[in-house]
Amino acid sequence: MIRPTSCHSSASSSRYYSAPVDGTIPLAKQKYVPSSGTYPKGFLVSGTHVGVKPTNKSTPDLAFLASETPCAAAAVFTKNKFQAAPVTVSREMLKRRNNTGVRSIIINSGCANAVTGKGGLEDAEKMGAAADGCFEPPTDGKGGGSIVMSTGVIGQRLPIQKILSKVPLAYDGLGTSHDHWLSTARAICTTDTFPKLISRTFTLPSSPSIEYRMAGMTKGAGMIHPNMATLLGMIATDAPVAPSLLPSLLTNAVNKSFNSISIDGDTSTNDTVAVLANGAAGGKEITFESSEDYASLQSTLSNFATDLAKLVVRDGEGATKFVTIRVTESPSEVGARKIASTIARSPLVKTALYGKDANWGRILCATGYSQISEPGMPINEATDVVPEKTSVSFIPSDGSPELKLLVNGEPESVDEVRAAEILEHEDLEILVRLGGGNEEATYWTCDYSHEYITINGDYRT
Amino acid sequence: MIRPTSCHSSASSSRYYSAPVDGTIPLAKQKYVPSSGTYPKGFLVSGTHVGVKPTNKSTPDLAFLASETPCAAAAVFTKNKFQAAPVTVSREMLKRRNNTGVRSIIINSGCANAVTGKGGLEDAEKMGAAADGCFEPPTDGKGGGSIVMSTGVIGQRLPIQKILSKVPLAYDGLGTSHDHWLSTARAICTTDTFPKLISRTFTLPSSPSIEYRMAGMTKGAGMIHPNMATLLGMIATDAPVAPSLLPSLLTNAVNKSFNSISIDGDTSTNDTVAVLANGAAGGKEITFESSEDYASLQSTLSNFATDLAKLVVRDGEGATKFVTIRVTESPSEVGARKIASTIARSPLVKTALYGKDANWGRILCATGYSQISEPGMPINEATDVVPEKTSVSFIPSDGSPELKLLVNGEPESVDEVRAAEILEHEDLEILVRLGGGNEEATYWTCDYSHEYITINGDYRT
């Protein structure tokens, strides 16, 4: 058995994608960072340096978003049984306030405040109270309205006094410029190599003359998998939405965006995506799910969330590839999702992609085991995969014709030169046709590189 | 954010564990290769060079095991929907022959004959027929009795003529010496760094004066996960067992051995573990599940399979660690298994182990998401994990006291120096106590290293 001694040196291509030690954005990622934006009215933001990690001497690590007026808010949280303290605190606040009267989101990076026991819960409460203290207390008796998030290493206590002492500075630093938004997006990053910020304008059917705005930011880049990850996201819009409708709008948007990406299959303790709507742009409030405005906003929010989620994959830890996995012609959407998710998680698929190896056998293999149950588990085996009906292709990112790898269960004679060309590109779509129905699902994922191992083998130090 | 630029160079520790290009066994693995053995009576084996991979100029890659007399046989196969041709052929043979009258197992490495369509099925049939041709045809009209297995790259056809032309040589080479068994074990290897061969003697309660023998071999080392992997195994014994009892004996043995290991969570198209029992040592045939002999043989076979399975983990692709994951005090065995399996699969846990980082937050995190369902999937959430009752410890392999990391949901103040000492060892046990019952489960796994990425990024070339 001959085994390659080194197919990629850590010093070449993979290194290209990592975050330089000085915090500058890698050349290949600079195109994903906007140089301007149109931001929603009535929202102010700031990114402030605290030094949550003692080694951080200057990078902003406290993000603050405030609405000039109390607004509607909703959030989706991780389903991990070990929910971080800020998740508990934020969930309780939204419930207590019934999704109304929310004034701010406060986020620290560098420490997740997860699995920190009762002390950690107190810390998260203090952080929320400090943010609340920046605003007039609500007169409805329902308490302050600040969402708290934390991201970073698990199992360590927050340097809470350090954070609290900087909240006034964060408040004083609030502003509406593009630089303010970019600095805030930077403050929530951990192993991200670039800040993830998007903004756009839209209209609603009932008031075509009003320009509404939406802006949002997110962070990755490890523990990313549905339900979700050390993934945080916040989206703000100046459109007017009834508080009771915001949770369903967000849940629908997240299911096909943040819940359809996988970096490494790990679902973290802190995942939170929140949306705030303050209605500052005016117009008629959306109050019915059956309205045209609702449908229109749902579409805008879903597309927006998808674009944010894709940025997370684009910056997956150590990633050198951005891979779309589309499973079509499925008897069920659940089946299509499960298959796409399984391919996205397969370490063998992910390493082959890194090695630019057209090893489609591994894609098939993952497809084939996606719906089997583990021994001892309740048997719940679906029959969406029929080998004789299954086809697999690469869809090149440059618009050239698809490369068929397997057609109806029979392997094609693959042009390896062509396959290698396709795999040279950063972007790739893997298309699996099940030949058994009309449902489909799409996942976005990245590869596993030496860099991924380096980053995660030594994260805490 | 400071990110380490290199926590491990590919040239140091990780390389130490890889297979040298010349096929010699790494120093660290030599202790797992036996220098002698006691092999079951009536079985002959050979390892022959075919050159299934054109680059293989001298290493044996065709394994042949023959019983002098027709014997009882059983096998467990992968549940992957894309079952390799040899799996289909072997399954049909055992069914047709009713687990009796089996004469041989023939295995090639270097090519899995998986997803090879109708042509591949014909190839596997020809391979079986060639093995059958070495023996007197059975007179019961049930056809030949050879089990066929293949392992290697998926989606490529076997060089079947080359293999068929060497079957007579494989037959002529059959023998019973330790060197014969070792050469056969070597012939089934792919990315393995050492041949995995075990033999032992045992007695049965009904005939304490008879020395029975059992020998077996297995191969890894990627796509290893329950149900199973590009994992092949064969076990031979000269104990007398009724053919009808062999399947349940094997299934029970496999569930807590080969189905309790995980290298990378990928379940392959070819996995097969077969057992042959020829009764050559004499004594009373085991004919009842309720007999003492049956219970005794079950225990022997289960322990034997566990030891074989552990060797696979010990040689996980790129592995530098051998990790036992034990989940105890669980309300259900299924829950304990699922949690152990999830921790074993977590890339973040596996990379932390590689980095010798006592990042127990990741163990907790995996525990916390092990029983949640993905969005869109049927909700089937168990409640085995209660954060306030969960404890996590490292159990050092040198017998020194356990290091408590989390006790009843509250983090311990961890002695990092002690943690680092424990993680210096190749072996480690992670103990998760759920505090909610008396069931438990054990999994064995390894870490993810740079070497894993190197091996799998460029496997086909």
Side-chain angles (χ1 to χ4, degrees):
Chain A
M1 273 148 301
I2 308 282
R3 155 191 300 216
T5 51
S6 174
C7 74
H8 295 278
S9 81
S10 293
S12 63
S13 61
S14 62
R15 184 65 46 190
Y16 185 68
Y17 290 85
S18 73
V21 189
D22 62 2
T24 57
I25 297 163
L27 197 63
K29 300 292 172 73
Q30 288 178 7
K31 63 186 169 201
Y32 303 115
V33 182
S35 56
S36 67
T38 48
Y39 298 100
K41 288 178 190 149
F43 285 104
L44 300 101
V45 294
S46 68
T48 305
H49 172 257
V50 170
V52 172
K53 275 193 163 183
T55 50
N56 174 10
K57 300 297 181 201
S58 62
T59 310
D61 52 1
L62 181 68
F64 197 33
L65 176 143
S67 173
E68 287 178 341
T69 54
C71 62
V76 289
F77 300 102
T78 180
K79 287 188 180 172
N80 196 302
K81 295 271 181 187
F82 292 91
Q83 308 220 330
V87 169
T88 304
V89 166
S90 298
R91 190 198 303 276
E92 281 173 3
M93 186 281 290
L94 286 171
K95 198 174 166 191
R96 169 168 43 81
R97 292 214 51 85
N98 232 333
N99 298 101
T100 63
V102 172
R103 292 303 296 269
S104 78
I105 302 178
I106 187 162
I107 310 177
N108 77 274
S109 60
C111 173
N113 191 11
V115 202
T116 42
K118 296 181 192 92
L121 213 55
E122 287 167 18
D123 292 344
E125 280 162 0
K126 283 179 190 165
M127 222 171 121
D132 291 342
C134 299
F135 310 96
E136 285 290 308
T139 54
D140 58 8
K142 292 182 182 168
S146 294
I147 293 171
V148 183
M149 306 185 200
S150 297
T151 180
V153 69
I154 299 177
Q156 290 177 6
R157 291 285 297 274
L158 284 179
I160 187 65
Q161 287 312 326
K162 230 168 157 182
I163 293 174
L164 296 181
S165 72
K166 292 295 177 77
V167 172
L169 199 64
Y171 181 77
D172 289 343
L174 287 171
T176 60
S177 73
H178 173 70
D179 282 351
H180 280 92
W181 281 86
L182 199 59
S183 162
T184 310
R186 200 184 289 268
I188 67 173
C189 292
T190 51
T191 56
D192 306 68
T193 70
F194 64 92
K196 293 159 192 70
L197 172 68
I198 301 180
S199 65
R200 67 185 48 153
T201 61
F202 63 99
T203 56
L204 292 172
S206 71
S207 45
S209 63
I210 300 179
E211 181 194 80
Y212 291 109
R213 295 175 174 189
M214 186 175 281
M217 56 188 67
T218 187
K219 60 85 55 180
M223 280 202 188
I224 302 294
H225 196 67
N227 281 329
M228 286 172 283
T230 39
L231 182 153
L232 301 181
M234 57 175 172
I235 299 171
T237 180
D238 50 19
V241 191
S244 61
L245 296 186
L246 216 44
S248 62
L249 279 164
L250 181 64
T251 303
N252 290 336
V254 164
N255 272 346
K256 293 199 172 179
S257 59
F258 288 102
N259 276 342
S260 291
I261 60 176
S262 183
I263 305 293
D264 51 19
D266 276 291
T267 301
S268 100
T269 50
N270 289 57
D271 309 336
T272 304
V273 175
V275 61
L276 266 59
N278 66 2
K284 198 177 138 219
E285 190 180 65
I286 303 174
T287 49
F288 293 107
E289 282 198 28
S290 54
S291 68
E292 268 189 71
D293 281 0
Y294 181 94
S296 176
L297 183 63
Q298 179 69 73
S299 166
T300 299
L301 186 63
S302 294
N303 291 334
F304 190 87
T306 300
D307 288 345
L308 269 182
K310 283 185 185 174
L311 283 182
V312 174
V313 176
R314 187 71 71 183
D315 199 21
E317 284 173 349
T320 73
K321 292 269 179 251
F322 178 88
V323 185
T324 302
I325 296 166
R326 214 152 72 85
V327 177
T328 65
E329 303 176 9
S330 173
S332 71
E333 193 197 332
V334 168
R337 274 189 75 91
K338 180 70 179 162
I339 293 161
S341 152
T342 305
I343 296 169
R345 284 180 80 149
S346 161
L348 290 170
V349 170
K350 293 162 93 79
T351 49
L353 288 167
Y354 172 57
K356 300 173 184 173
D357 180 3
N359 196 331
W360 56 268
R362 294 181 178 175
I363 299 167
L364 237 339
C365 177
T367 303
Y369 72 72
S370 60
Q371 298 190 305
I372 61 178
S373 52
E374 292 191 23
M377 305 292 156
I379 292 172
N380 183 19
E381 299 191 5
T383 52
D384 295 319
V385 180
V386 180
E388 301 73 37
K389 291 184 181 174
T390 306
S391 302
V392 178
S393 292
F394 283 166
I395 310 294
S397 59
D398 59 4
S400 59
E402 74 175 282
L403 180 70
K404 294 182 179 183
L405 302 166
L406 186 88
V407 176
N408 295 325
E410 291 280 338
E412 292 283 286
S413 167
V414 175
D415 178 349
E416 293 280 348
V417 175
R418 176 86 185 105
E421 273 171 20
I422 292 172
L423 287 165
E424 277 300 316
H425 294 279
E426 182 177 335
D427 287 35
L428 172 73
E429 178 180 322
I430 296 171
L431 176 59
V432 178
R433 295 182 181 94
L434 297 180
N438 298 310
E439 299 295 333
E440 64 173 89
T442 302
Y443 253 67
W444 295 277
T445 191
C446 55
D447 56 338
Y448 272 161
S449 66
H450 289 109
E451 188 69 13
Y452 177 83
I453 304 288
T454 299
I455 294 169
N456 285 297
D458 207 15
Y459 177 55
R460 295 193 317 161
T461 48
Chain B
M1 272 146 300
I2 309 282
R3 156 188 299 216
T5 51
S6 175
C7 75
H8 295 277
S9 80
S10 293
S12 63
S13 60
S14 62
R15 183 66 46 188
Y16 184 68
Y17 289 86
S18 72
V21 191
D22 62 3
T24 57
I25 297 163
L27 198 63
K29 301 292 173 74
Q30 287 178 8
K31 62 184 168 203
Y32 303 116
V33 182
S35 55
S36 67
T38 48
Y39 298 100
K41 288 179 192 147
F43 286 103
L44 301 100
V45 293
S46 68
T48 306
H49 172 257
V50 171
V52 171
K53 277 193 162 182
T55 49
N56 173 10
K57 301 297 181 201
S58 63
T59 310
D61 52 1
L62 182 67
F64 199 32
L65 175 143
S67 172
E68 286 178 342
T69 55
C71 62
V76 289
F77 300 102
T78 179
K79 285 187 180 175
N80 196 302
K81 295 272 180 186
F82 292 91
Q83 307 222 327
V87 169
T88 304
V89 165
S90 297
R91 189 197 303 276
E92 281 174 1
M93 185 283 288
L94 286 171
K95 197 173 166 191
R96 168 167 45 80
R97 293 214 50 88
N98 233 331
N99 299 98
T100 62
V102 172
R103 293 302 296 270
S104 78
I105 301 177
I106 187 163
I107 310 177
N108 77 274
S109 60
C111 173
N113 191 13
V115 203
T116 42
K118 295 182 194 90
L121 213 53
E122 287 168 19
D123 292 344
E125 280 162 358
K126 282 178 190 165
M127 223 170 120
D132 291 342
C134 298
F135 310 97
E136 285 291 307
T139 55
D140 58 9
K142 292 181 182 168
S146 295
I147 292 170
V148 183
M149 305 185 200
S150 296
T151 180
V153 68
I154 299 176
Q156 290 178 6
R157 290 284 298 273
L158 283 179
I160 187 66
Q161 288 310 325
K162 229 169 156 181
I163 293 174
L164 296 180
S165 72
K166 291 295 176 74
V167 171
L169 200 63
Y171 180 78
D172 289 344
L174 287 170
T176 58
S177 73
H178 172 71
D179 284 350
H180 280 90
W181 281 86
L182 199 59
S183 161
T184 309
R186 199 182 290 267
I188 66 174
C189 292
T190 52
T191 56
D192 306 69
T193 69
F194 65 93
K196 294 158 192 69
L197 173 67
I198 301 181
S199 65
R200 67 185 50 154
T201 61
F202 62 99
T203 57
L204 291 172
S206 72
S207 45
S209 62
I210 300 179
E211 180 193 81
Y212 291 109
R213 294 174 176 191
M214 186 176 282
M217 56 188 68
T218 187
K219 60 86 55 180
M223 281 201 188
I224 303 294
H225 197 65
N227 278 332
M228 287 169 288
T230 43
L231 181 154
L232 301 180
M234 58 175 172
I235 299 170
T237 179
D238 50 18
V241 190
S244 61
L245 296 188
L246 216 43
S248 62
L249 279 164
L250 181 63
T251 302
N252 290 337
V254 164
N255 272 346
K256 294 201 172 179
S257 59
F258 288 102
N259 276 341
S260 292
I261 60 175
S262 183
I263 304 295
D264 50 20
D266 275 292
T267 302
S268 102
T269 51
N270 289 58
D271 309 335
T272 304
V273 174
V275 60
L276 267 59
N278 66 2
K284 199 175 136 219
E285 190 179 64
I286 303 174
T287 49
F288 294 104
E289 283 198 29
S290 54
S291 68
E292 269 189 71
D293 280 0
Y294 181 93
S296 175
L297 183 61
Q298 180 68 75
S299 165
T300 299
L301 186 62
S302 294
N303 291 334
F304 190 88
T306 300
D307 288 345
L308 268 182
K310 284 185 184 175
L311 282 182
V312 174
V313 175
R314 188 71 71 182
D315 199 21
E317 285 174 348
T320 73
K321 291 268 179 254
F322 178 89
V323 184
T324 302
I325 296 166
R326 216 152 71 85
V327 177
T328 65
E329 304 176 9
S330 174
S332 71
E333 194 197 331
V334 169
R337 273 190 75 92
K338 180 70 179 160
I339 293 161
S341 152
T342 304
I343 297 170
R345 284 179 80 148
S346 163
L348 290 171
V349 170
K350 292 162 93 78
T351 48
L353 288 168
Y354 173 56
K356 299 173 184 172
D357 181 2
N359 196 330
W360 56 267
R362 295 182 177 176
I363 298 167
L364 237 340
C365 177
T367 303
Y369 72 73
S370 60
Q371 297 190 305
I372 62 178
S373 53
E374 292 191 23
M377 305 293 155
I379 293 172
N380 183 18
E381 300 189 5
T383 52
D384 294 320
V385 180
V386 179
E388 301 71 38
K389 291 184 183 174
T390 306
S391 303
V392 178
S393 294
F394 283 167
I395 310 293
S397 61
D398 60 4
S400 58
E402 75 175 283
L403 181 70
K404 294 182 180 183
L405 303 167
L406 187 88
V407 176
N408 294 326
E410 292 280 341
E412 292 284 289
S413 166
V414 176
D415 177 350
E416 293 280 350
V417 175
R418 176 85 186 107
E421 272 172 19
I422 291 172
L423 286 163
E424 277 300 316
H425 293 279
E426 181 176 335
D427 287 36
L428 172 72
E429 178 179 322
I430 295 172
L431 175 58
V432 178
R433 295 181 180 95
L434 298 179
N438 297 310
E439 299 295 332
E440 65 172 87
T442 301
Y443 254 67
W444 296 277
T445 192
C446 56
D447 56 338
Y448 273 160
S449 66
H450 289 109
E451 187 69 14
Y452 178 83
I453 304 288
T454 300
I455 294 169
N456 284 297
D458 206 17
Y459 178 55
R460 296 193 317 158
T461 47

